[in-house]
Amino acid sequence: MSRVAIIVICFVTIQLSWCRLDDDTLSSLRTNCVIGHCFHRGVEDCPSPENKCRCQKLQCKNAAVCCNLNKFQLKEELACANISGSGHVEALHIRNASLTTLNLEDWRKLKYLRYMTITDGQINSVTGEFAKHTSVSCLNLSSNGIINFENRSLVNLYNLSFLDLSHNNLSDVPRFKKDGNVTVDISANSHMLCPNLFNALQRTELHFSNINNSFCIFTKTFQWFNSTESVPLIQVIEIDKLRKDCLPNCTCEPKRLDIVSGKQATIKVEVNCSGQNWISLPRPLPANTFALNVSNNNITGLELFSSDPSYQNIRELYADNNEITSILPLEGSQFLSNFVVLSLRNNKLKSLPTYIFSNILDRNNFRSLRIGLNRLQCDCNAAKVLKVWLLTKQKNIQDYDEIYCDNMDMKVIDLNPSKLCQSQQDWTDYIYYIITAEVVLFAGLIAKVVYDYYVFKTSGYLPWPASKMPKLPCDWLCE
Ligand SMILES: *[C@@H]1O[C@H](CO)[C@@H](O)[C@H](O)[C@H]1NC(C)=O
Ligand SMILES: *[C@@H]1O[C@H](CO)[C@@H](O)[C@H](O)[C@H]1NC(C)=O
Ligand SMILES: *[C@@H]1O[C@H](CO)[C@@H](O)[C@H](O)[C@H]1NC(C)=O
Ligand SMILES: *[C@@H]1O[C@H](CO)[C@@H](O)[C@H](O)[C@H]1NC(C)=O
Ligand SMILES: *[C@@H]1O[C@H](CO)[C@@H](O)[C@H](O)[C@H]1NC(C)=O
Ligand SMILES: *[C@@H]1O[C@H](CO)[C@@H](O)[C@H](O)[C@H]1NC(C)=O
Ligand SMILES: *[C@@H]1O[C@H](CO)[C@@H](O)[C@H](O)[C@H]1NC(C)=O
Ligand SMILES: *[C@@H]1O[C@H](CO)[C@@H](O)[C@H](O)[C@H]1NC(C)=O
Ligand SMILES: *[C@@H]1O[C@H](CO)[C@@H](O)[C@H](O)[C@H]1NC(C)=O
Ligand SMILES: *[C@@H]1O[C@H](CO)[C@@H](O)[C@H](O)[C@H]1NC(C)=O
Ligand SMILES: *[C@@H]1O[C@H](CO)[C@@H](O)[C@H](O)[C@H]1NC(C)=O
Ligand SMILES: *[C@@H]1O[C@H](CO)[C@@H](O)[C@H](O)[C@H]1NC(C)=O
């Protein structure tokens, strides 16, 4: 009998509300029951109120639907419709079950089950675990308000390929078998935690369906995230990819959440390339780099901060224990005007041009500059200007008292201006003395000349020493 004929007969017989088809014939119609990966029926397939059981087998092979059960009725009702035990049910949909806990140990009898769907009910938690090698390939637990799964609940589902956990209240993705390809729907779980998603992605290969409706949140306990701002799942997946495929020999870890009002919150990463013996900064950095750690390398210059576009959005630089000689390359860079942390401890800085930080450290006290264990060239200017600057910027420069001089055994903040600037001071004083002496001498000379002239005019002789001086050729001019 051809399939068309069966359908025609069935259609005709349905009109007579009677359609008897044996199991073998029905198996050819099974696609009607299981569409795609999963088995799902509407309320219209629920047993009618006059049915003695709350479960009923469907007109297609090995499929059944149960509705409006509570936890006391579950076992009996499954038996009532010959679903548990010898019933050989492969596809089961239970709608609107009020179970509080779904204990998977109760399901061990349903050993033929391949499509298990329990939706639109009230289940708080899932306990127990499936029997080993249960052949369930699609598990749909959508719309139940489930809060948590026991650790090992799903680990024995070796054939699992589709898991629908949407519209629940989960904060974590339950564990399941390690290998194989599982597609999970976690949409509409408003308490899903992003850190848990990162962990889930680390332990299993996961594919998500309904990605555009899936979000997660961060909590206080993760780094210093403190936000209930939801982040699209797609971002978590991208960051996970970045984590697995960061710059060579670097790690990329989610570090903070960038919240700009009116925009979707974005996850930012810290790129950690410390301890590589590198002599120059790595490039290009991932687009969402927030912090770069290149400590313990042999890096000499910071030029990329003003030339490389991938360095424009960095807010934190940790470059301790390197060979950096100058911070001048940062001048005018976007990093300098926006940085939160600039850590250049134990480098080869020779000077600290404080002017490049003017208007930058002044406005904001949250910025942190760490430059301890550098040995600067110390002079009167360092003693007078730099020392005072360091003392006034203590809030920003916590290690202000660990900055040393290269040319003397001293800390910059211990420099004594009156000593370092002494020679210069003496010299200027000396000039003043000479000038004063010269002025006094000059005034004396003029007074003497005036006196000589007066005496000469009144008494006609020249006082000493002018009288004793030999006549000079020009003297006749006066006489
Ligand atoms: C769900 O089942 C309960 C009984 O367990 C029933 O009172 C309620 O009306 C059902 N809800 C729906 C939407 O069918
Ligand atoms: C249950 O189903 C099995 C196999 O399909 C059948 O042999 C058995 O008679 C059924 N029992 C009842 C009570 O319907
Ligand atoms: C799982 O059940 C939900 C709720 O009934 C339904 O909306 C969804 O389509 C089902 N998922 C699959 C994959 O069949
Ligand atoms: C579940 O697993 C987590 C992480 O592996 C562990 O910390 C926790 O103790 C486990 N809980 C139980 C009940 O085994
Ligand atoms: C479950 O998977 C195993 C191999 O992993 C396969 O041999 C078996 O046929 C599968 N069972 C079902 C019911 O699909
Ligand atoms: C969902 O779970 C969170 C904690 O994970 C809880 O605070 C909240 O009340 C739950 N919401 C519902 C509707 O159960
Ligand atoms: C896993 O399944 C998804 C969706 O079914 C598919 O896009 C992906 O290519 C599969 N991956 C592997 C490795 O089989
Ligand atoms: C998800 O959203 C992206 C962009 O917002 C869009 O390109 C894509 O088609 C959407 N996917 C689905 C399945 O709706
Ligand atoms: C974190 O957020 C909570 C509430 O959203 C707030 O009470 C608390 O002060 C915040 N903590 C910090 C360190 O910002
Ligand atoms: C990464 O580290 C390995 C082993 O230490 C080294 O052989 C390789 O050259 C490094 N790659 C880069 C880009 O530094
Ligand atoms: C950066 O990586 C180094 C070595 O790989 C590690 O010791 C250090 O703790 C990491 N730093 C951060 C902030 O993750
Ligand atoms: C980096 O510096 C360390 C210690 O100063 C030195 O041992 C090492 O040879 C340097 N590496 C390179 C590549 O210059």
Side-chain angles (χ1 to χ4, degrees):
M1 209 189 298
S2 79
R3 191 176 288 202
V4 174
I6 294 172
I7 292 169
V8 168
I9 290 170
C10 194
F11 180 77
V12 169
T13 50
I14 279 171
Q15 298 301 303
L16 307 165
S17 57
W18 183 80
C19 178
R20 178 181 292 168
L21 294 169
D22 61 72
D23 276 1
D24 284 348
T25 329
L26 275 168
S27 71
S28 66
L29 283 175
R30 218 184 68 198
T31 47
N32 286 345
C33 267
V34 178
I35 299 165
H37 310 278
C38 297
F39 173 63
H40 188 272
R41 307 300 291 217
V43 191
E44 64 279 5
D45 285 320
C46 286
S48 57
E50 51 269 23
N51 194 319
K52 69 178 168 66
C53 302
R54 293 195 183 206
C55 296
Q56 72 177 3
K57 286 192 172 177
L58 295 181
Q59 295 283 312
C60 48
K61 194 190 173 193
N62 305 332
V65 172
C66 303
C67 297
N68 313 336
L69 296 171
N70 64 36
K71 60 180 166 184
F72 306 109
Q73 298 163 331
L74 181 65
K75 267 186 197 166
E76 303 147 32
E77 295 297 336
L78 288 174
C80 173
N82 197 8
I83 290 171
S84 48
S86 51
H88 208 282
V89 166
E90 289 182 3
L92 174 64
H93 188 171
I94 300 182
R95 298 188 65 96
N96 182 28
S98 318
L99 297 179
T100 320
T101 37
L102 173 65
N103 188 349
L104 296 171
E105 308 291 335
D106 299 343
W107 295 78
R108 290 183 168 230
K109 277 188 185 158
L110 294 164
K111 45 180 176 287
Y112 304 104
L113 211 55
R114 293 176 60 186
Y115 307 96
M116 177 166 169
T117 306
I118 305 180
T119 65
D120 309 279
Q122 278 102 48
I123 299 173
N124 282 335
S125 58
V126 178
T127 61
E129 57 188 90
F130 277 104
K132 282 232 158 53
H133 298 283
T134 303
S135 49
V136 169
S137 69
C138 170
L139 179 60
N140 186 352
L141 296 175
S142 176
S143 309
N144 285 303
I146 301 173
I147 295 169
N148 69 301
F149 279 79
E150 234 171 50
N151 273 0
R152 294 191 44 82
S153 291
L154 308 183
V155 292
N156 290 333
L157 295 181
Y158 294 97
N159 287 61
L160 189 66
S161 68
F162 205 97
L163 180 59
D164 191 336
L165 299 172
S166 58
H167 295 275
N168 280 300
N169 195 10
L170 291 167
S171 54
D172 199 356
V173 180
R175 291 166 176 270
F176 38 82
K177 58 164 187 174
K178 280 241 161 27
D179 36 44
N181 195 353
V182 182
T183 302
V184 184
D185 186 343
I186 54 154
S187 59
N189 280 275
S190 57
H191 289 79
M192 184 58 75
L193 294 173
C194 304
N196 289 344
L197 279 181
F198 278 122
N199 290 340
L201 283 163
Q202 295 254 303
R203 54 173 195 254
T204 353
E205 181 192 4
L206 281 181
H207 298 271
F208 292 94
S209 67
N210 222 342
I211 288 186
N212 285 3
N213 297 320
S214 303
F215 297 87
C216 62
I217 57 171
F218 285 98
T219 63
K220 285 188 272 229
T221 53
F222 184 67
Q223 307 277 13
W224 47 274
F225 286 110
N226 187 16
S227 160
T228 47
E229 195 90 15
S230 61
V231 177
L233 173 63
I234 193 84
Q235 274 199 39
V236 173
I237 294 169
E238 275 165 17
I239 298 289
D240 180 66
K241 270 199 202 124
L242 187 56
R243 250 177 147 183
K244 287 169 179 158
D245 190 20
C246 190
L247 291 176
N249 294 3
C250 301
T251 59
C252 292
E253 287 296 318
K255 169 89 172 179
R256 62 163 277 165
L257 201 58
D258 229 26
I259 301 164
V260 179
S261 64
K263 277 192 186 168
Q264 192 71 64
T266 48
I267 304 173
K268 298 281 180 170
V269 294
E270 165 160 15
V271 179
N272 183 353
C273 309
S274 60
Q276 301 295 329
N277 271 349
W278 287 350
I279 54 168
S280 55
L281 290 167
R283 66 178 294 272
L285 298 175
N288 38 12
T289 304
F290 173 82
L292 174 65
N293 186 344
V294 287
S295 298
N296 306 316
N297 279 289
N298 298 28
I299 289 164
T300 52
L302 299 173
E303 282 73 18
L304 288 186
F305 277 89
S306 36
S307 62
D308 193 294
S310 71
Y311 275 74
Q312 299 313 299
N313 297 318
I314 297 186
R315 296 286 184 275
E316 297 181 4
L317 171 66
Y318 302 88
D320 300 347
N321 311 323
N322 278 288
E323 321 260 320
I324 296 162
T325 51
S326 172
I327 55 168
L328 278 176
L330 296 179
E331 196 179 355
S333 68
Q334 208 167 317
F335 171 77
L336 193 66
S337 25
N338 294 332
F339 81 90
V340 176
V341 177
L342 171 56
S343 188
L344 297 171
R345 284 170 65 76
N346 194 22
N347 272 282
K348 299 257 156 52
L349 296 181
K350 285 285 158 270
S351 65
L352 194 62
T354 56
Y355 73 90
I356 75 169
F357 294 106
S358 59
N359 302 327
I360 288 169
L361 292 185
D362 297 345
R363 280 190 311 245
N364 297 295
N365 276 327
F366 63 83
R367 295 179 197 267
S368 170
L369 176 62
R370 289 176 220 149
I371 40 177
L373 306 180
N374 280 287
R375 304 193 77 91
L376 308 184
Q377 205 63 37
C378 288
D379 52 15
C380 176
N381 191 52
K384 276 182 156 172
V385 182
L386 182 58
K387 176 182 168 179
V388 174
W389 186 79
L390 287 175
L391 290 172
T392 55
K393 298 284 182 272
Q394 284 180 36
K395 264 190 188 163
N396 302 102
I397 311 172
Q398 284 94 342
D399 59 0
Y400 71 100
D401 64 344
E402 288 183 85
I403 303 165
Y404 294 88
C405 293
D406 194 31
N407 49 340
M408 56 190 82
D409 190 15
M410 220 178 221
K411 289 178 179 179
V412 171
I413 58 145
D414 292 337
L415 289 174
N416 186 346
S418 64
K419 270 192 189 162
L420 254 184
C421 305
Q422 191 134 48
S423 52
Q424 198 182 12
Q425 191 88 40
D426 281 359
W427 187 76
T428 46
D429 289 353
Y430 177 61
I431 286 284
Y432 287 132
Y433 294 139
I434 291 178
I435 290 169
T436 315
E438 275 176 347
V439 167
V440 168
L441 270 174
F442 188 64
L445 199 65
I446 287 173
K448 175 69 173 148
V449 167
V450 169
Y451 171 72
D452 284 5
Y453 179 76
Y454 174 76
V455 171
F456 183 73
K457 271 279 170 204
T458 52
S459 47
Y461 72 97
L462 275 172
W464 186 91
S467 59
K468 295 283 181 268
M469 278 166 73
K471 278 207 179 216
L472 295 172
C474 65
D475 279 2
W476 62 269
L477 275 175
C478 304
E479 285 159 20

